[in-house]
Amino acid sequence: MTATLVNAVRSWGGRAIISRGWSNLGEAQSDDQIFYLGDCPHEWLFQKVAAVVHHGGAGTTACGLRFGRPSLIVPFFGDQLFWGNMVASRGIGPMPIPHKSLNADNLAEAIRFCLHPDTLEAAGNLAREMSEEDGVSAAAASFHRNLPVDNMRCQFIDSEPAVWQLKQNSNAPINLSKMAAGILLENSRIDIKDLKSYGSKSIFIQTRRWDPITGGTSSLLGMYKDILTASSDVVIRPYKEFSRARQESEPELVVIETTNPQSERSPSEGISRTSTTKQRDEDWGVTGKAVGGSAKSVGRIIAYYYKGVLVDIPGAVNEGLRAVPRLYGEEVKDYDNIRDFKSGVAAATDNFAHGFSHGLTDIFRQPYEGGQKDGIRGAIKGFVKGPIGLGTKAASGLLRTISLRD
């Protein structure tokens, strides 16, 4: 890379600054034509140069354009190629040159393009446009323009967000805010059983499994991790509770005045008895909290175990079985996200029917389609894929039915 940069600058004939960066580009010594620079803020440096060559990160690109500097972008990955194309589309730089295609000749030519009067003028015009923009306000306005406001607000109180949905008989559902629902409930105008939690746009994150082995193993390891964490809390929680109590306890003087002047009991005896009783009560309270924390941890261990055995592991194995056909290029049907028991039963029934029906037809379909596509070789592959599809899809349908209904 260093040789390419040096040769390009020599060919072009002008002066250049090479920022060495984390890869420590450059020679040991600078000269009259090339200066090797260490770490330096782009906001300062870009004001001192005529054009910039960089990889095309969003921040670096914006900084160059802000100061009216034509840019050549040499993208490596991500959004860098996109920004290179955007720069070229406005005439403020040449087309991006992927780093694998970069050489001294095309780099020197690209530098000449950047320093052409038309390119410099276009970059200056864009910088003036950017200086007249209020980016923060424009971004906020764009965000609000794209909000589904009509679906988010309460239909009775416009200023409040909807968090409940009311559905009665065959009427269209009504979106209600917390305040509106509270008023209606308080005045007995609606039944709480008719209210359901409402989200204008629910987001579900689905964990994709690649096969039943890795899926089941990862879920099993996750269960054991949770169990080990809860097991350590059986000891750690009581220890933390006793440590906290010890740090908070400080000597306290309690003065008790006797109501019987003839009493022969000394004041020190009253102080001693009162302090002892109070300390005993505090000790019992701390012990109760410690035992309670330990008991909660034991309860979490049991809950994690049954959740893993009855829900997580069967679900992961099921998803892995369902994904097996994807390994040999077949599309796998996706199902709606499960929100409650009813949707879980519907998804389980659908997956059961789809798994068994498609699994049975795979025995005949795979050899036929393989033969049509790739002759004898494809038919042989189909004879292998058919039983695999039958086994994985049928097992997935049965296992999903069991796990979702649990």
Side-chain angles (χ1 to χ4, degrees):
M1 178 63 77
T2 300
T4 300
L5 297 178
V6 171
N7 292 334
V9 173
R10 304 292 187 208
S11 173
W12 162 56
R15 293 186 301 164
I17 296 174
I18 296 179
S19 179
R20 307 187 72 176
W22 58 266
S23 58
N24 203 28
L25 285 171
E27 308 289 345
Q29 297 291 331
S30 301
D31 57 34
D32 292 339
Q33 192 175 10
I34 299 176
F35 181 78
Y36 297 101
L37 181 68
D39 292 335
C40 179
H42 291 162
E43 290 79 3
W44 178 86
L45 178 62
F46 286 5
Q47 298 181 65
K48 314 294 182 182
V49 299
V52 291
V53 180
H54 55 87
H55 293 314
T60 309
T61 303
C63 184
L65 301 182
R66 172 190 173 192
F67 295 113
R69 302 301 183 248
S71 298
L72 164 63
I73 291 178
V74 183
F76 272 79
F77 69 100
D79 61 345
Q80 296 170 348
L81 180 61
F82 168 80
W83 292 117
N85 288 327
M86 291 297 99
V87 165
S89 69
R90 293 296 300 263
I92 52 181
M95 290 298 295
I97 305 175
H99 72 98
K100 291 183 178 180
S101 304
L102 187 69
N103 57 54
D105 293 334
N106 58 22
L107 177 55
E109 185 62 30
I111 294 173
R112 294 188 186 97
F113 183 96
C114 288
L115 298 178
H116 191 278
D118 291 343
T119 311
L120 293 169
E121 182 181 0
N125 292 337
L126 182 61
R128 282 189 290 275
E129 290 180 26
M130 292 175 64
S131 67
E132 295 171 358
E133 292 179 347
D134 186 353
V136 176
S137 297
S142 175
F143 175 80
H144 286 285
R145 275 199 308 272
N146 289 280
L147 279 178
V149 178
D150 292 338
N151 295 333
M152 296 174 62
R153 63 164 56 108
C154 174
Q155 292 180 235
F156 289 161
I157 308 175
D158 289 348
S159 60
E160 295 291 319
V163 295
W164 295 105
Q165 189 170 74
L166 173 66
K167 188 170 184 181
Q168 294 177 317
N169 302 324
S170 59
N171 298 328
I174 301 173
N175 300 333
L176 300 174
S177 63
K178 183 178 179 180
M179 181 186 298
I183 294 172
L184 292 173
L185 286 170
E186 186 177 350
N187 290 274
S188 302
R189 301 302 300 269
I190 60 174
D191 192 331
I192 194 170
K193 294 185 296 184
D194 295 327
L195 290 177
K196 290 186 177 180
S197 179
Y198 173 73
S200 59
K201 186 176 181 181
S202 300
I203 297 175
F204 295 90
I205 300 176
Q206 196 171 38
T207 303
R208 172 168 287 186
R209 308 291 182 178
W210 299 104
D211 59 76
I213 297 175
T214 58
T217 302
S218 64
S219 184
L220 179 65
L221 292 175
M223 181 191 74
Y224 277 120
K225 172 184 169 292
D226 292 337
I227 290 175
L228 287 173
T229 302
S231 300
S232 64
D233 284 345
V234 173
V235 178
I236 293 175
R237 283 195 171 191
Y239 172 77
K240 287 182 176 179
E241 188 62 38
F242 284 122
S243 298
R244 183 191 61 79
R246 187 165 54 250
Q247 291 173 0
E248 292 180 356
S249 63
E250 292 184 7
E252 184 178 44
L253 177 62
V254 181
V255 178
I256 303 297
E257 294 183 358
T258 179
T259 57
N260 184 2
Q262 305 297 325
S263 174
E264 297 180 356
R265 188 175 62 184
S266 64
S268 60
E269 183 181 357
I271 294 173
S272 176
R273 289 186 178 181
T274 304
S275 300
T276 301
T277 302
K278 183 176 181 180
Q279 184 63 41
R280 186 183 299 114
D281 292 341
E282 290 179 352
D283 290 344
W284 276 112
V286 172
T287 302
K289 290 181 180 179
V291 172
S294 185
K296 286 182 180 178
S297 299
V298 172
R300 287 169 55 211
I301 294 172
I302 298 172
Y304 285 141
Y305 174 78
Y306 281 107
K307 179 176 177 289
V309 170
L310 299 178
V311 179
D312 293 343
I313 295 176
V317 173
N318 159 71
E319 287 300 313
L321 287 169
R322 197 169 66 85
V324 167
R326 190 181 284 121
L327 298 177
Y328 51 79
E330 186 176 340
E331 290 294 326
V332 176
K333 181 180 179 181
D334 289 324
Y335 292 91
D336 293 337
N337 294 298
I338 298 169
R339 300 173 298 277
D340 49 31
F341 178 78
K342 184 178 179 181
S343 60
V345 171
T349 305
D350 187 16
N351 188 65
F352 180 81
H354 181 271
F356 267 89
S357 62
H358 281 67
L360 290 172
T361 57
D362 274 356
I363 296 178
F364 308 100
R365 183 177 62 85
Q366 291 287 359
Y368 173 76
E369 292 182 354
Q372 292 290 320
K373 183 178 180 181
D374 204 15
I376 298 297
R377 185 179 179 183
I380 294 173
K381 289 182 179 178
F383 278 113
V384 176
K385 292 178 182 178
I388 293 176
L390 172 62
T392 57
K393 291 179 181 178
S396 171
L398 181 60
L399 190 59
R400 187 177 181 90
T401 302
I402 296 171
S403 63
L404 290 182
R405 290 186 178 181
D406 282 344

